[in-house]
Amino acid sequence: MTTASSLPVLLVAAPLAAVVPILLTGAHPNRREAWTMLAALLTVGLAAVTASAAAEGVVHESVLGSLVVGVPLAFRADALGALFALLASVLWLAASVYSVGYMRGLDEHHQTRYFAAFAASVGTTMGVALSANLLTLFVFYELLTVATYPLVTHHETAEARRAGRTYLAFTLSGGVAILAGIVVLYAVTGSVAFVAGGVPGLGTEPVLAGVAYALLVVGFGVKAALVPLHGWLPDAMVAPTPVSGLLHAVAVVKSGVFGLVRVVLFVFGAGTVRSLGLGTPLAVAAAVTMLVAGVLALRQDRLKRGLAYSTVSQLSYIVLGVALLTPAAVFGALVHLVAHAFMKITLFLCAGAIYVETGVQRVGEMGGIWRRLPATMTAFAVASAGLVGLPGVAGFVSKWYLVLGALEAGAAPFAATYLLAGLLKLLFLWPIVLIAYADRDAIAGFRPLPGGEGAPHAEDGGPLAEDGGPPGVEDDDGGRGWDRRTPLTESSWQLLVPLLATAAGALVLGVVPDATPFWDLAAAVTAEVFPGG
Amino acid sequence: MSDAVVVLVALPVVAATVPPVVSRRVDGVGWPVAAAAATAQTALATWVGWRVLADGPLRTVVAGLPAVLGIELAVDRLSAAFVVLVAVAGLWGLAYTRRGGPRSAPGASLYLLLLAGLTGICVVRDVFTLYVFLEIAGLAAYALVALGDGRDAAPAALRYLLVGTVGASLYLLGVGYLYVATGALNMGVLADRLATVGYDDRLVLAAFVLVAVGLGVKIALFPVHTWKPDAYQAAPPGITAVLAALVSTVAAYALVRVVLAAFTGAFLAANPRLVAGLRAAAVLSIVAGALLALPQRRVRRLLAYSSVSQFGIAVAGLALGTRLGVLGGVVHLLGHAVMKAGAFAAAGTIEAGYDARTVDEFADAAAHQPVASAALATLVLGLVGIPPLVGFFGKWYVALSAVRTGAWATAAAVLLSTALSLAYFARLLQRLYLERREGRPTPAPVSTGMVASGVLAALAALGLGLASAELIAALRPAIEGVPP
Amino acid sequence: MLDVLATAGPGVGLATAGPGVGLATAGPGVGLATAGPVEALADRAAYLVAVVLVGLGLHVVVADRNLLRKVVGLNLFQTGIFLVFVAAAARTGGRSPLVVGPDGGPYADPLPQVLVLTAIVVGVSVSALAAALVVRIDAEQGTVLADELDAGQREVTERE
Amino acid sequence: MSDGDPASPGVSGEPRERPPDSPVVTTTVRLLVPFVVTFGLYTMFHGTSSVGGGFQGGVVVAAGVIAIAFAFGLDRTGGWLRPGALVVLPAAGVLGFAFVAGGPLVLGAAFLDLSAYPVAKAVVFGVEAVELCIGATVATTVVLLFRSLGGG
């Protein structure tokens, strides 16, 4: 039951409106951070209200006039939109608290621009989540690229600028493909609104529908980091870690995956996709991405780049789940969308805390670091367990449904791919945890550092390189002794509390997933898309 | 009440005679007179626009003669949009030139003559008088370019004059052929007589090609675009902004008007190959304009080449021969005029306030000229085609119409123009915010009018973008005689 | 008077507001009398001259190094176009379109001739502006040769 | 000596000290110019019904004036050909045209619809007035052009 209300518009407008006061109070950091917090809290509140309504089937919708002749500028908080909006707003709250600690910990420059762009990015993500049609989604999708560009290039170093150029080139070219797809789609069907069973009239022209589908999949695939199009994500790791955490684990890449979900389920509809045989190619692309990214992650020595490749792989879990077009797989995909967000943001926040406190960026240097950062490494271990799919943490639940869905679709090879990808995750994450908990000298023998990558050479980019070695670590011969810290003194609370909260979230999603609103929303979406059940 | 149309043209001409006379007594009188005249013109234009919206087109014939004989002036919704654009841009340009541009008496009267010529083009429905107004506006534009204070102003103005006059003369030859073929010059009469003469008549086809090429030179489509970069680089900044906004835009409007009112949709339908040729030229202009813009080092030349590419989109819209395509082209013309004028104003402000001419010298401009840089960045994003700025919507309609009529090359070029324009604008964006610049710039004073003009244009680009659907709905009735 | 087209477009009334003298409005351009190639060429001598003028003018505008000669070339080009107009207005045995004289005998179509008058005015003003610009270029840069100007221009671009 | 008038850049820049032409030229010019100017005015007046009009008449009058300037040397004729004063005439011409053509608007007819004037043969007189204004504008403009491009 759809009710006209201004809730969705407020949900999009709140973070965007916060940009102005943040810019104006640039001179007073505390007041500026207060504005960010206020906006984050307000957004979480609104998202919670919208989500609870959506879970009960009450869809809030607000139409603001016509964007283009025949297509309204409209926001609609249906179950899928509310799910993504709630997820993004909750994690924005955690990330903004974390950002304050991170930016002040490293005394970063241009903090005002950082926080303003951050709020703008979340605002546009809300826009993507709550769009009622593909063109409104495209508008906010492009604005998201523009809002995140200053964050990717925050350090303004040569490497950051190069990463920025690649980022713009990839994402905006993807945007062109999406626009082309929307134009063809609109020319064929005359409507781009989201309809649970798919827009009618697509079957009439299979060729044009196929072209539109390909264009849209490639376009959204860029941000969903499907393999050939994922080049920008590892380079974007040059951004400050909270950006990598929230944006490149949650907002930006998830908006790509979200776009794909909208296209496959709400524009083409499961039936049309299956009848036109368009599901399999997407599934194969996702499967290939999972495996290739999983392998590439093994070769990375820098922690954040490794996490980036693991993100690429994990995103394809969701894409494959959707491409399988069975209720269990879609449900698993939606739950994984949430689970992966919580787990991956925890890992990134831990990586950020490690960097702020010890300046360590490479896995090789993390030997025995748990003594210095016990709480952080515990959270890291929990999240890693989740990613691998060990029971008790969020990842296991979603993977269970994904594998079930794959079997239900009779696609055994895809089920095997899931398990194999989980194994690759194990090979990637578990050594890191072991190194962190082992003592100093265990590291040398355990993991042969790959070729030139690992050899100790000058840091590339990063403000850290200028002032010589990482702070707080004595460079005696070979092994570095960490001074032991207790969980209370290891790091500032702004860094610690958010990452523990997200780790706790992952645990809650693992142990009692059905208590969370995400579960009901995912179920509502699945019911909506597969009325037969 | 339709005499207001004549006053629209007469007012700036009469006002243009005032500055040289009065300046013999009182100096510095140029700008105030121009401001007063531009304000009156804007008021009159908006009033006429509102009347046209309310009661339909205003029509009058000079000297009360029958339309076949006399010079018919008419303002329908399409003309009203461009008359208002000319008047508003004229007034807006004065905000910039209060300090930035020429303040001499001749400068002011040339500025008013330019407005008169452009308004004349928008209202006239007689193909020969259109030529006269084209040359009045052209002459004023050539002279205004020559007012630039660099060494390259006079040569650039002369080059612009030579190419512009050759273009206008080709258009005149086209008019001559039309007259020989049909014996009429009024667009309405031409439309009927061309139908009887037959659309495959060699004389009529030659006339169409000559008219298209002549106006193509004025629009600066590739390959007859060479005058635009030099002229826009050499002219004073405020003048470049107004020229960039109006001269080519109104020439493109003239092409739309002549093709739709004189040749009509039937002619386009009867000659698919000719229309495909026009579309091919437009597509070539989109791509070539972008490729030529890539290596440019000076910001104004970069923006000028971007214009060549953007006008390709508008002409492609017309050349689709569908109502939606023409409407898309017209919205793109109006939107591009606003964005390009604002971009030149903001770039001019940075050029003066930060002593920067090349893209590299624009490095770190955001720190020194934050507002102008923000305006320039917004407008550049609009030119790239990022929604919700107006740059996106024109392309949407043209691309949609191209896909519907199966003109795949046009659709691809229009859509790819976003990526192409990003390729040459990304450098500028990156310099503005992310790079430092060695050396001490020697800034010149920058007036609030200069900065405000950039910001106003950015807001207008956003406003037009959000209201583009209403704009299309308002202009729709004015485009007839073409399939939907 | 050159016998050009058998009948051309109809000229109707006088351009200025004087009492309009109706001219027999003939139909649209009727095909040429079937004559041999030489006669056909002779019939169209005026148009041939116009083509030569237009071609020559364009060539001079484009190819000539001296700016002032470019302006002269521009004038040639425009004169060629005006000649097309005037040639189109000519009638077999027609006299110039004056309102004097009793007989209403065939006379040239006045409208193209008036158009040419206005176009000449435009041409003069354009040439005047062009001449002023050439004078200023010569005063400022000491040369009116296009390639020397371009050389100066190119070296300016290098310096940036 | 011309009053060092600022407006004309002049190609050579310094005023040329040239004696006036030979008496033959000066006397011929002195004899011819009045007739030339008269013919110019005739052309202006009869634009409505025969060859002529404001533009052609204006150019003829200007030719006469320039002939004097050539014959008697620019420095001698500079006195009364001051661009400052001359620039008023084109403006006056345009305003005159605007008034004559705008009149009918006030009287409720179309722009330049001279028959609206209550005067007998309004059209002919109206057009001649218009031609005179155009003639004045064109003559002065051509003389101004001569002075600025070629003059001292």
Side-chain angles (χ1 to χ4, degrees), chain B residues 39 42 68 71-72 75 81 112 118 185 198 205 233 276 283 300 327 368 371 407 474 481:
Chain B
T39 319
T42 313
V68 177
I71 299 167
E72 180 192 355
V75 178
L112 289 170
L118 292 171
L185 291 172
L205 291 173
Q233 180 65 41
V283 166
R300 286 212 240 165
L327 283 170
H368 297 75
V371 178

Side-chain angles (χ1 to χ4, degrees), chain A residues 383-405:
Chain A
S384 306
L387 268 186
V388 169
L390 297 184
V393 190
F396 170 75
V397 174
S398 52
K399 211 151 131 188
W400 170 265
Y401 280 96
L402 283 170
V403 171
L404 205 65

Side-chain angles (χ1 to χ4, degrees), chain D residues 68-83:
Chain D
I68 297 174
F70 270 124
F72 294 93
L74 275 172
D75 36 37
R76 296 274 298 285
T77 54
W80 53 281
L81 276 184
R82 281 192 316 285

Side-chain angles (χ1 to χ4, degrees), chain B residues 207-297:
Chain B
F208 180 84
V209 170
L210 281 169
V211 163
V213 168
L215 289 174
V217 169
K218 287 284 181 180
I219 303 170
L221 288 179
F222 181 85
V224 283
H225 66 284
T226 46
W227 59 268
K228 181 170 271 193
D230 303 339
Y232 287 2
Q233 180 65 41
I239 298 297
T240 302
V242 174
L243 292 182
L246 297 180
V247 172
S248 295
T249 309
V250 169
Y253 157 79
L255 183 63
V256 170
R257 176 60 67 193
V258 168
V259 166
L260 287 191
F263 288 97
T264 70
F267 175 86
L268 298 178
N271 298 302
R273 271 197 333 283
L274 198 62
V275 174
L278 185 62
R279 237 191 350 261
V283 166
L284 177 65
S285 197
I286 297 173
V287 176
L291 295 182
L292 286 170
L294 274 175
Q296 289 311 319
R297 298 204 345 214

Side-chain angles (χ1 to χ4, degrees), chain B residues 203-445:
Chain B
L203 212 51
V204 172
L205 291 173
F208 180 84
V209 170
L210 281 169
V211 163
V213 168
L215 289 174
V217 169
K218 287 284 181 180
I219 303 170
L221 288 179
F222 181 85
V224 283
H225 66 284
T226 46
W227 59 268
K228 181 170 271 193
D230 303 339
Y232 287 2
Q233 180 65 41
I239 298 297
T240 302
V242 174
L243 292 182
L246 297 180
V247 172
S248 295
T249 309
V250 169
Y253 157 79
L255 183 63
V256 170
R257 176 60 67 193
V258 168
V259 166
L260 287 191
F263 288 97
T264 70
F267 175 86
L268 298 178
N271 298 302
R273 271 197 333 283
L274 198 62
V275 174
L278 185 62
R279 237 191 350 261
V283 166
L284 177 65
S285 197
I286 297 173
V287 176
L291 295 182
L292 286 170
L294 274 175
Q296 289 311 319
R297 298 204 345 214
R298 283 187 276 189
V299 173
R300 286 212 240 165
R301 296 181 75 86
L302 179 70
L303 289 170
Y305 280 110
S306 136
S307 283
V308 171
S309 178
Q310 300 278 355
F311 277 108
I313 296 172
V315 171
L318 162 71
L320 286 170
T322 63
R323 179 201 297 255
L324 193 63
V326 172
L327 283 170
V330 166
V331 163
H332 196 66
L333 279 179
L334 295 170
H336 175 263
V338 168
M339 290 189 293
K340 192 47 67 66
F344 269 112
T349 314
I350 296 174
E351 200 170 283
Y354 190 52
D355 188 17
R357 286 162 60 91
T358 67
V359 174
D360 299 339
E361 284 169 356
F362 266 61
D364 200 20
H368 297 75
Q369 291 282 345
V371 178
S373 301
L376 181 60
T378 316
L379 289 163
V380 158
L381 286 177
L383 287 168
V384 166
I386 305 290
L389 292 163
V390 71
F392 165 77
F393 294 97
K395 289 186 190 176
W396 160 266
Y397 292 111
V398 171
L400 181 60
S401 181
V403 164
R404 279 196 178 141
T405 53
W408 302 109
T410 311
V414 168
L415 290 170
L416 276 179
S417 68
T418 306
L420 288 171
S421 44
L422 175 74
Y424 56 77
F425 274 134
R427 277 183 306 131
L428 185 59
L429 284 175
Q430 181 179 303
R431 293 287 191 289
L432 275 178
Y433 285 94
L434 299 177
E435 292 194 27
R436 299 293 162 262
R437 169 180 163 191
E438 321 77 32
R440 291 299 313 134
T442 57

Side-chain angles (χ1 to χ4, degrees), chain B residues 146 151 165 179 297-298, chain C residues 77-78 81 109 136 141 160:
Chain B
R151 269 164 47 98
T165 310
Y179 179 77
R297 298 204 345 214
R298 283 187 276 189
Chain C
F77 173 71
Q78 288 188 315
I81 292 176
D109 177 0
R136 177 175 158 194
Q141 316 212 358
E160 251 128 42

